[in-house]
Amino acid sequence: MNAAKKVIIDCDPGIDDALALMLALASPELEILGITVVCGNVPARMGAENALKILKQMGRMDIPVYIGEESPLVRTYVDAMDTHGEDGLGESHYPEVTKMRPRTGAVQFLARMLEQAAKAPEEAKISIIALGPMTNLARLMRQYPESLAGLGELVSMGGSYKSHGNCSPVAEYNYWCDPHAAGEVYAGFAALPVLRGKRIHMIGLDVTREIVLTPNLLEYMCCLNPERGDFIRRITRFYFDFHWKQEGIIGCVINDPLAVAYFIDRTMCSGFAAHTEVETEGICLGQTVVDDHDFWKREKNSHILTKTDALRFMKFFFTRVIGECEEQVLEELMGRVLR
Ligand code: RIB
Ligand code: CA
């Protein structure tokens, strides 16, 4: 097996962030250097406490957690606790981890780690899997632009190409929560010489909406691995209820784990390169405007993922997080998303 890829996961845990962290922690292809937390689903400090709970659940208290930006660059902060619960983990109310405490200075941690990798060969540079609003990344780009020489790849769960928004008719939460940050990061990938040739891999709602955890799949998890399955059941119950009320489905769209799976296995999703910008004002605030027909003839700063294979993802997730599964059983269970 090739050497593990060095990554930092920037997130806002958050129920689906928690599932993404579990998947990353169960994947030997990744060397997770740290977890940075940003205000998003829940305030950054709460998100950092939740990240610690996931690390404890997965037996990885060796990984540091850093608290990052506690408000968006410009907008007033709007959380998503209506979706993720008042504790950010579906009101599962797991006890706070006391053995280890989160540190402050997420942006400085990102800069320090990337600077150390600035002269490393491409395959040894540090990638970022971003699962929340891009506020930490925008601050990094503003304050430490030279550190980006150490960046490998950026995979971002966020945005939407042709699928409807989840915060407005056109906007996805991560980029709607801090559109100025997302806009600056996408602009940086189009303009900064240090990022020439690099693209943001945008795992948007077009692909993540295909990934639905259903009651049947949850029961299968609990049958195969009662301890791990029960943890997932406890943190997703609230999320199921929200999806029934909000989207009329029995199940929950788990966005973030797909970004981790795609980072590890690029065949998990397919898409195209394009220039993308993020709207920062008006009724389309937070919308990703993807120039799919190259009208503007601008630098292709993004790789827009539009297709995925939900069965392949579920098999990937089960095999790593639960420890096993039978593809035929998965396929049968996945035929039953009730609408
Ligand atoms: O729009 C979905 C995204 O916003 C996910 O990352 C979810 O965790 C929230 O951060
Ligand atoms: Ca998230």
Side-chain angles (χ1 to χ4, degrees), residues 10-18 20 38 40-41 84 130-133 157 172-174 239 255-256:
D10 190 73
C11 54
D12 59 335
I15 295 166
D16 58 332
D17 300 72
V38 66
N41 288 323
H84 294 264
L131 307 175
M157 191 280 133
E172 174 281 326
Y173 175 78
N174 286 335
Y239 212 33
N255 304 282
D256 292 335

Side-chain angles (χ1 to χ4, degrees), residues 242-251 338-339:
F242 172 84
H243 279 77
W244 171 245
K245 289 180 204 137
Q246 194 76 11
E247 307 221 4
I249 61 168
I250 295 184
L338 309 178
R339 292 194 184 282

